[in-house]
Amino acid sequence: MKIPLFMNSLICGVISLLLTGCGQPSPEKEVDKKSGRQIAVYGSWASPIAANDVSALANDFGELQSVNGGIYFIQSEADLGGKVGIKRIDGDRKVTDMIKAEFDVRSKVNEYGGSPFLGIGQSLFVSKEDDQLLYRIAPNQAPVPLTAPNTRHADCAAYPKGSRIICIREDHRGEGEAISSLVALNLNFAGEGEVLISGDDFYSSPQVSPDHSQLAWIAWQHPNMPWDNTELWLGTLDPKGGLHNPKRIVTELEGSITQPQFSPSGHLYFVADFNNWWNLYRVGKDGKIEHVLDIDAEFAVPDWTLGSHNYAFESDNTIIASYQRNGEVSLIRIYLDTGTTEPIAVDFGEISQLIAGEDGIYFVGDKITPEKGIYCVKGRGTELIYSPELSTFNPNFISRAESISLGSSNGELVYGYFYGPKNPDFIAPRDTRPPLLVMLHSGPTSKASLAFRRDIQYWTSRGFAVFDLNYRGSSGFGREYRRSIYGHWGQSDVEDAVRSAGYLANRGWVDGTQLAIRGYSAGGLTVLSALAFYNTFKAGVSYSGISDIEMLNKKLHKFESHYVEQLIGENDEDELRERSPIHHLSGLTEPLLLIRGSDDPVVSDEQSKRIFTALKNNGVPTAYLSFDGEDYKLRNPKNLAKALEAELSFYGSVFGFTPAGDIPKLKLENAKHLKKAAQEY
């Protein structure tokens, strides 16, 4: 029988569809004859680094303590949404769960917490995330709460003579600001405890001397932040745990004093930035302050959280210390009798939590390569003793940082790390340059570092260039640089981001028409301001970005309640509005992706939706994502992965490339307005 013509065409079409999957022949991959690599536009490269590999960073750890012959530390668990437990490493390197992550160990003292546990013998004293009570947890016993509701405790020190622990307490039971104090708590029974000292706005770092006769601590008052001006205090402890004769250690210069610590023989050491740099000092026998090591380097970090330790006593004559200089981190041994030093390690991007264990000095280290873990100092080197399970990475896909410095408008240098695209399977078309992502850290005094970051490699392996910026105000470059943002927040940081993008484009390293900027919280403010006040960037991604500084100033908690006063100057309403991008949305004409957590206490849903609605009504390509149960920083690995893939889809739409892999398409309002822009690219 003769098949009708239309049936013949239909059958051929079906066969063609089955063979090709789309009715059209699959386009052949273009291969570079010289390198053998596939030719594809930047941003579209297939990468083995998935968004889930980045979100595995939720398995983070820190807060080391030496307890009863073992090393205790906290670790978050990605599978539990970032909840935190406590583990122990024994002498044979065996790792044991002491408190399961379901308990969720976390302090909220000063809102940012830190130092949430103390180990004594077989017992642990821990702060619990959901109720902020301090619990005693002993083997084969139910957790026993020791503190009252609406109080928070952290940064505790053992006082064996008085059978007590000495903690920072933040009391939220009254009206107005929470009251901070140093309190002594009974080890076995719930109660108020005994207030040892109060009256200052903030306290931190209680340290008991080796003979249990003295207590040292740090105090400061509004409007200072702990990296501005703080005080070192010393008092006498009686056998029952009482504190007597508190006196301030008088210094010739003011500055940020932090990390007090007694040597094995009882001499009091500390870190201070009297000479612009956070250096090591000690209190001499005559009470005078002695400079231990004069070096243009930082032996401390801004105390956003409690419990930082950048040095530890290896013996009464030797200190192991970490410092940052010119953006690089080093670990050294200091001989106190001669003042000489010797290097131990220089291949780390971050070193923190140095403590003295029974058999040596331990610390948390993040290398410039994917390796991270807990290390022990061995002679003139280090040994890795524990590392969490992390995604493995092919080194051929890893982009290495290049330190960059450039001049700001006032002649001061601005710093950052440049990462070029890196993928051994792909090459871009001739005479093209990669799109640039300028990354901004989340706090005005935080910092970018050389520690290996999976999120950066996620982008560079796909064909992006990344610039991790240490704008003016970032830490790690001295007190003057850290304070240079005071009075200029929302201006100098924005200008530095704009100038750095232009600098890299002018050098021919990136495509000047494909510049993007992204940041969290305070970094999000910089994103929004850069788009509102400048025309440099063609796309922006704001994670819980601050948009209304006036509203922020009204909602800040006690710890930061005077911070805007430092960052902006006098709280003049006109100036606060002038610096706030939410009042300048008419200038925000480039594509913007807004991402936030529904429980963010600072940036309200109303603010974010106001920006989204205004851009949508103005015809600006925009999208808005909100994740339930998250605050300003996404902790749930699944949410973090979704946000990252949405961001990749966003850049693909804006810059006109198709991301490789099964990336969900982001719904972008006013996407039709991108067509003309894409043609211009």
Side-chain angles (χ1 to χ4, degrees), residues 564-566 568-573 575-576:
V564 170
E565 182 180 327
Q566 300 275 53
I568 301 293
E570 293 186 8
N571 292 336
D572 179 85
E573 290 186 4
E575 184 63 27
L576 295 180

Side-chain angles (χ1 to χ4, degrees), residues 159 166 182 196-197 206-209 211-218 232-238 241-249 262 268:
Y159 183 53
I166 298 172
L182 276 175
L196 300 180
I197 196 78
Q207 297 288 312
V208 177
S209 62
D211 64 1
H212 308 139
S213 66
Q214 294 181 301
L215 178 71
W217 68 92
I218 300 294
L232 175 62
W233 286 75
L234 189 65
T236 302
L237 288 168
D238 67 32
L243 182 67
H244 306 282
N245 305 316
K247 64 176 182 178
R248 179 186 172 187
I249 303 298
F262 288 97
L268 182 57

Side-chain angles (χ1 to χ4, degrees), residues 361-382:
I361 302 299
Y362 292 81
F363 65 92
V364 173
D366 289 61
K367 291 202 170 185
I368 58 177
T369 56
E371 182 180 300
K372 65 179 296 184
I374 298 173
Y375 295 79
C376 182
V377 174
K378 295 291 185 181
R380 295 186 178 182
T382 63

Side-chain angles (χ1 to χ4, degrees), residues 2-73:
K2 190 174 182 179
I3 301 174
L5 182 60
F6 78 92
M7 287 294 294
N8 184 60
S9 299
L10 179 61
I11 292 170
C12 290
V14 171
I15 293 173
S16 176
L17 180 64
L18 292 172
L19 291 174
T20 66
C22 60
Q24 297 293 332
S26 298
E28 292 185 5
K29 296 179 179 179
E30 187 178 359
V31 177
D32 179 61
K33 295 180 180 179
K34 185 176 180 180
S35 66
R37 297 157 70 182
Q38 184 178 339
I39 300 174
V41 297
Y42 288 112
S44 70
W45 299 352
S47 168
I49 304 173
N52 289 332
D53 296 323
V54 176
S55 63
L57 278 175
N59 275 7
D60 209 353
F61 56 94
E63 306 284 356
L64 300 189
Q65 284 188 32
S66 175
V67 184
N68 198 30
I71 300 298
Y72 286 64
F73 63 98

Side-chain angles (χ1 to χ4, degrees), residues 179-238:
I179 298 174
S180 297
S181 58
L182 276 175
V183 298
L185 302 174
N186 189 289
L187 295 180
N188 301 305
F189 304 105
E192 285 290 313
E194 179 184 353
V195 175
L196 300 180
I197 196 78
S198 63
D200 289 304
D201 291 318
F202 301 96
Y203 297 92
S204 73
S205 313
Q207 297 288 312
V208 177
S209 62
D211 64 1
H212 308 139
S213 66
Q214 294 181 301
L215 178 71
W217 68 92
I218 300 294
W220 70 97
Q221 298 81 35
H222 290 312
N224 291 295
M225 299 298 284
W227 47 85
D228 293 326
N229 296 307
T230 60
E231 302 169 352
L232 175 62
W233 286 75
L234 189 65
T236 302
L237 288 168
D238 67 32

Side-chain angles (χ1 to χ4, degrees), residues 438-461:
V438 173
M439 289 191 171
L440 304 163
H441 52 70
S442 61
T445 57
S446 298
K447 65 174 182 176
S449 80
L450 286 171
F452 183 81
R453 285 179 52 180
R454 288 160 175 75
D455 58 337
I456 288 178
Q457 305 302 325
Y458 178 86
W459 298 111
T460 56
S461 62

Side-chain angles (χ1 to χ4, degrees), residues 88-351:
R88 171 189 167 104
I89 304 174
D90 292 320
D92 59 0
R93 303 297 189 252
K94 178 184 177 182
V95 178
T96 305
D97 282 323
M98 304 305 294
I99 298 179
K100 297 290 187 181
E102 288 88 348
F103 187 88
D104 206 7
V105 179
R106 193 184 303 270
S107 164
K108 292 183 180 178
V109 171
N110 296 340
E111 301 301 325
Y112 296 101
S115 197
F117 80 97
L118 173 69
I120 302 176
Q122 299 294 322
S123 297
L124 285 167
F125 300 85
V126 300
S127 178
K128 195 171 189 292
E129 158 72 11
D130 61 1
D131 59 18
Q132 285 301 291
L133 298 180
L134 191 72
Y135 289 81
R136 187 191 78 236
I137 299 179
N140 304 316
Q141 295 181 22
V144 177
L146 299 178
T147 54
N150 295 319
T151 63
R152 304 173 182 178
H153 295 76
D155 210 3
C156 300
Y159 183 53
K161 275 191 175 181
S163 296
R164 298 181 177 188
I165 56 175
I166 298 172
C167 303
I168 307 299
R169 183 173 75 186
E170 192 175 77
D171 194 337
H172 291 259
R173 290 174 291 186
E175 295 183 358
E177 281 192 341
I179 298 174
S180 297
S181 58
L182 276 175
V183 298
L185 302 174
N186 189 289
L187 295 180
N188 301 305
F189 304 105
E192 285 290 313
E194 179 184 353
V195 175
L196 300 180
I197 196 78
S198 63
D200 289 304
D201 291 318
F202 301 96
Y203 297 92
S204 73
S205 313
Q207 297 288 312
V208 177
S209 62
D211 64 1
H212 308 139
S213 66
Q214 294 181 301
L215 178 71
W217 68 92
I218 300 294
W220 70 97
Q221 298 81 35
H222 290 312
N224 291 295
M225 299 298 284
W227 47 85
D228 293 326
N229 296 307
T230 60
E231 302 169 352
L232 175 62
W233 286 75
L234 189 65
T236 302
L237 288 168
D238 67 32
K240 295 183 179 180
L243 182 67
H244 306 282
N245 305 316
K247 64 176 182 178
R248 179 186 172 187
I249 303 298
V250 178
T251 59
E252 293 183 4
L253 300 173
E254 286 190 334
S256 170
I257 305 173
T258 184
Q259 299 187 32
Q261 193 171 159
F262 288 97
S263 70
S265 60
H267 292 96
L268 182 57
Y269 285 68
F270 59 94
V271 177
D273 60 1
F274 300 144
N275 68 337
N276 185 50
W277 302 94
W278 266 316
N279 278 191
L280 272 168
Y281 293 83
R282 67 184 162 216
V283 180
K285 294 180 179 179
D286 56 0
K288 293 184 178 180
I289 305 303
E290 301 172 355
H291 201 159
V292 175
L293 186 65
D294 188 356
I295 181 174
D296 291 352
E298 301 274 64
F299 287 82
V301 296
D303 288 328
W304 283 98
T305 59
L306 300 168
S308 294
H309 302 286
N310 284 76
Y311 70 101
F313 285 90
E314 187 179 43
S315 70
D316 206 44
N317 184 50
T318 56
I319 286 176
I320 305 297
S322 66
Y323 67 77
Q324 178 176 326
R325 178 166 56 183
N326 298 327
E328 297 182 354
V329 171
S330 297
L331 188 70
I332 63 171
R333 178 178 284 110
I334 305 171
Y335 292 93
L336 298 174
D337 56 351
T338 62
T340 58
T341 65
E342 66 180 18
I344 295 175
V346 294
D347 55 344
F348 287 90
E350 287 290 339
I351 294 174

